Amino acid sequence: MGKGKNRRVASEAVVESVDGGLAELLPDRERARAWTLLIDGAPQSHVDLDDPAYLSFEYQRRLGHVIDLVAPPGKPVHAVHLGGGALTLARYVAATRPRSTQQVVERDAALVQLVRRELPLDPNARIRVRSVDAREGLAKVPDGWADLVIADVFSGARTPAHLTSGEFLTDVRRVVKAGGLYAANLADGPPLAHLRAQIATAAGVFPELALVADPTVLRGKRFGNAVLVASDQPLPVPELTRRAASDAHPARVEHGKALRDFTGGATPVTDESAVASPAPPPSVFR
């Protein structure tokens, strides 16, 4: 993927203003055609044009585990990505599940233009990108169309409030077919009030949940990412646990009673009560 006419080698940074702030594409000195996307200094995506199945970021590898387990290996899927960034996960699906059909909803049209120009997609990949708000784009997806919906939406380093509510998740469930998966990248730090509320909110919409995160994040010791996985049918918890545990940065998978206990009686979020996820401390990006 990414080969052909455009053979840009990662050498010099590309800096450009986009709708969401200042975008920087920084070359990866260890990989010839790999780049990291930052928005206002916050890392958003990493892409290797020569190896789109390579996932550098910890949380993206965890989402990669979900992608790997949504269907038998190599089987094409229908996927919706809410939040595009550098289209890392859409590229991963296209590389590992050829002939998949994907819809990416990325509000920042200027960012989409930058990524398409500097980090072009494989022209054979069935990836459609729409530059609208995530909920507006989701509303246009047919009922039961998606095997997989991934939410990885950040305005700067915070998830917008309207993408944290039960009403939002109800529309996600409408789109996910029976047995399909929803996966969300969530970011929080002590006392983990946002993360607990997001689990409680998802539990009101999906009967099956699991959470994948670094144990230090789950213990409220530091700010970090957690991946919430949801479905209307039992999740592949044993295999997800095995993959998370064997990662270069091992993670723990919580589900069932342990996850309910972790939620600690948190109140589900509604459109009326929703707030954006907390801003990470400056030390996170140093």
Side-chain angles (χ1 to χ4, degrees):
M1 292 180 63
K3 298 181 180 181
K5 291 183 179 180
N6 190 309
R7 289 290 303 172
R8 170 179 284 280
V9 175
S11 56
E12 299 297 328
V14 178
V15 182
E16 196 167 299
S17 292
V18 295
D19 300 339
L22 186 68
E24 301 173 83
L25 286 173
L26 304 182
D28 183 333
R29 300 304 179 188
E30 298 181 358
R31 289 176 169 260
R33 300 180 67 236
W35 303 79
T36 298
L37 169 67
L38 288 78
I39 304 291
D40 287 341
Q44 302 286 328
S45 305
H46 179 279
V47 168
D48 187 334
L49 295 177
D50 287 333
D51 184 8
Y54 173 77
L55 299 176
S56 176
F57 287 7
E58 187 178 300
Y59 86 86
Q60 289 186 327
R61 289 198 302 276
R62 290 169 189 163
L63 288 168
H65 299 329
V66 177
I67 294 168
D68 293 343
L69 296 173
V70 71
K75 181 181 178 181
V77 297
H78 286 179
V80 176
H81 302 262
L82 304 178
L87 308 177
T88 304
L89 293 171
R91 299 173 200 265
Y92 181 85
V93 172
T96 61
R97 297 183 176 280
R99 300 181 308 282
S100 291
T101 302
Q102 302 185 73
Q103 297 188 38
V104 178
V105 183
E106 171 54 63
R107 182 174 185 170
D108 194 328
L111 175 62
V112 171
Q113 185 177 24
L114 171 65
V115 168
R116 282 189 178 279
R117 185 184 75 234
E118 302 293 339
L119 310 176
L121 288 165
D122 181 342
N124 295 317
R126 301 176 180 179
I127 300 173
R128 178 188 181 192
V129 183
R130 304 185 67 242
S131 296
V132 297
D133 175 77
R135 278 181 71 163
E136 181 182 344
L138 183 67
K140 296 184 182 301
V141 180
D143 293 3
W145 182 84
D147 298 285
L148 175 67
V149 174
I150 295 177
D152 185 18
V153 185
F154 286 84
S155 178
R158 305 179 70 184
T159 301
H162 70 299
L163 303 180
T164 68
S165 70
E167 290 89 339
F168 162 66
L169 287 179
T170 297
D171 206 32
V172 169
R173 182 161 184 185
R174 176 189 64 78
V175 166
V176 177
K177 66 179 59 174
L181 301 180
Y182 169 66
N185 176 32
L186 307 174
D188 199 9
L192 300 178
H194 172 72
L195 183 57
R196 297 179 204 278
Q198 286 303 287
I199 297 166
T201 305
V205 178
F206 290 95
E208 301 289 338
L209 301 178
L211 187 73
V212 190
D214 185 300
T216 59
V217 173
L218 290 176
R219 290 197 298 267
K221 299 295 186 182
R222 68 172 178 88
F223 194 98
N225 295 85
V227 170
L228 177 64
V229 188
S231 181
D232 67 344
Q233 295 183 20
L235 295 165
V237 171
E239 183 61 19
L240 185 60
T241 300
R242 187 189 69 77
R243 291 174 184 241
S246 61
D247 189 79
H249 293 88
R252 196 166 82 215
V253 176
E254 295 286 13
H255 64 102
K257 183 179 184 300
L259 187 56
R260 290 192 295 272
D261 291 345
F262 174 81
T263 306
T267 302
V269 178
T270 65
D271 277 343
E272 188 173 310
S273 65
V275 295
S277 66
S283 60
V284 168
F285 303 130
R286 286 177 187 166

